[in-house]
Amino acid sequence: MLMVGAGGIGGYFGARLLEKGEDVTFLVREGRKKKIEEEGLRVNSRHGDLHLQPALLTKTMQAEPFDIILLSTKAYQLEQAIEDIRPFVGEETMILPLLNGIAHVEQLISAFGEEAVIGGLCFIETTIAEDGSIVQTSPIHQLVYGERGGERTDRIDKLKMHFDGTKAEFVLSEDIDQDMWHKYMFITAMSGITSLMESPIGPIRKLPSGQSAIQSLLEELEAVMMAIDAPIKKGIAAIQLDKVNSMDDSMKSSMQRDMEKSQGIEADHLQGHLIEKAQQADVPVPVLETVYTKLKLYEENNNRKK
């Protein structure tokens, strides 16, 4: 299998699969390749540290098509990633994306065909340390996957055999479409509200006005998704509000952390995509629009500094 990138997500899950003994190759840039060749792929995790010497590819190298390609890039890197993996995609290749959001699915189908793309998502907190090692801090390190139509196919059963027994939680979903939309709602709300307020979730939700803003945003997202017939559970906004209120006070979203580091963010892919859908369905989303305005102003200011 081919892991696209050896960053916090692809590097972590790929390392766990390598630890189990699976045949894993990492598609990386030249600089990352040299670093890993010299120092190995290092993972520091509460679930056990790893130091490995994996097989590596760059986009200019040649290799046979892979059975499965796992994509864990940021949304704004997806267009380039699609071109990078083209030489390694065959007729039987499955493409398993772990990106946040939902818009990337159509991009991948457009590039590689309906059959090639299966569904996926993950729940994990990782970062890349200054020395290039992967630091994994969360108790949860879960990857969820499945056929987008919910079928239990031979290829999914074969993939399950490769994933089972890994020292991370690989879950075969019976309804990956719904799982992806539910995570989309949650990550859009969490990233939006913490980035807007420039605060961890705890201080926001302790204020009555903060609690109201979180609830209103989730209800807006639910209304848009219902209007476009997304496969969500009835009352999911209330369920996710309970989840937000159960999180550790210090929880920050990855988008907020990226903004603190003056890095790129996925505003168009997450919040922007749902604003487009809201406009098409004539659903008012004032809180979502406020969040999106903050994120776009950040992007403009950040671009001016470069």
Side-chain angles (χ1 to χ4, degrees):
M1 64 184 74
L2 182 67
M3 306 294 302
V4 181
I9 294 174
Y12 180 79
F13 286 114
R16 288 295 176 204
L17 287 162
L18 266 177
E19 176 188 32
K20 180 200 168 190
E22 292 295 330
D23 183 4
V24 180
T25 300
F26 292 88
L27 179 64
V28 292
R29 294 189 179 94
E30 285 289 351
R32 184 70 166 149
K33 181 173 182 285
K34 185 179 179 185
K35 179 88 172 170
I36 294 173
E37 284 174 341
E38 291 173 352
E39 302 177 12
L41 180 64
R42 295 179 181 272
V43 175
N44 298 316
S45 168
R46 62 186 294 163
H47 300 288
D49 297 344
L50 296 169
H51 185 201
L52 305 163
Q53 287 291 346
L56 302 170
L57 268 180
T58 65
K59 64 182 180 180
T60 58
M61 296 169 66
Q62 293 193 343
E64 292 295 313
F66 288 83
D67 294 330
I68 176 80
I69 298 177
L70 285 86
L71 273 167
S72 58
T73 60
K74 294 287 190 180
Y76 48 80
Q77 299 167 328
L78 181 60
E79 199 171 318
Q80 184 60 55
I82 286 171
E83 297 309 311
D84 291 349
I85 66 174
R86 279 192 192 278
F88 311 117
V89 176
E91 288 184 9
E92 302 298 319
T93 302
M94 285 182 283
I95 297 171
L96 170 53
L98 300 175
L99 287 75
N100 292 322
I102 210 82
H104 61 275
V105 175
E106 288 304 319
Q107 283 180 265
L108 289 167
I109 290 170
S110 177
F112 301 110
E114 184 79 36
E115 281 298 305
V117 185
I118 63 174
L121 55 90
C122 63
F123 297 98
I124 189 169
E125 284 180 56
T126 61
T127 188
I128 301 294
E130 286 186 13
D131 65 0
S133 62
I134 297 164
V135 180
Q136 190 273 323
T137 54
S138 55
I140 298 173
H141 55 158
Q142 184 185 78
L143 188 155
V144 186
Y145 65 100
E147 295 282 7
R148 288 183 296 108
E151 308 93 338
R152 186 69 181 261
T153 58
D154 288 343
R155 68 178 186 173
I156 279 292
D157 283 337
K158 186 177 178 183
L159 187 57
K160 186 175 185 296
M161 279 175 30
H162 289 291
F163 284 164
D164 283 355
T166 306
K167 288 184 186 175
E169 192 180 1
F170 286 75
V171 179
L172 176 56
S173 171
E174 294 180 359
D175 195 346
I176 192 67
D177 281 352
Q178 185 176 86
D179 293 339
M180 289 169 69
W181 276 97
H182 285 178
K183 187 186 177 188
Y184 183 20
M185 180 189 288
F186 184 79
I187 204 78
T188 300
M190 267 296 295
S191 67
I193 211 76
T194 56
S195 299
L196 175 67
M197 306 299 184
E198 298 181 358
S199 168
I201 195 63
I204 301 169
R205 68 187 180 206
K206 282 176 184 172
L207 292 168
S209 54
Q211 187 74 213
S212 177
I214 299 166
Q215 181 177 344
S216 296
L217 179 55
L218 283 165
E219 288 173 353
E220 287 180 9
L221 299 177
E222 182 181 49
V224 176
M225 291 181 181
M226 288 182 66
I228 63 173
D229 293 323
I232 60 172
K233 269 184 196 171
K234 189 175 181 182
I236 186 63
I239 294 168
Q240 294 203 342
L241 181 62
D242 288 342
K243 184 176 178 181
V244 170
N245 284 328
S246 70
M247 300 181 81
D248 190 88
D249 278 356
S250 63
M251 177 67 186
K252 290 183 176 183
S253 66
S254 58
M255 179 182 284
Q256 181 188 0
R257 293 183 190 278
D258 287 342
M259 289 171 71
E260 289 171 350
K261 298 174 188 172
S262 296
Q263 294 178 347
I265 58 173
E266 298 177 302
D268 288 326
H269 185 68
L270 297 176
Q271 289 81 9
H273 183 65
L274 280 176
I275 284 178
E276 284 182 18
K277 297 297 182 185
Q279 290 169 344
Q280 291 165 12
D282 199 24
V283 176
V285 285
V287 181
L288 181 59
E289 287 175 339
T290 303
V291 168
Y292 187 64
T293 301
K294 163 77 173 187
L295 300 180
K296 296 307 287 184
L297 288 171
Y298 161 80
E299 286 184 335
E300 287 180 14
N301 291 334
N302 200 41
N303 289 335
R304 275 200 292 268
K305 291 175 186 175
K306 291 179 180 177

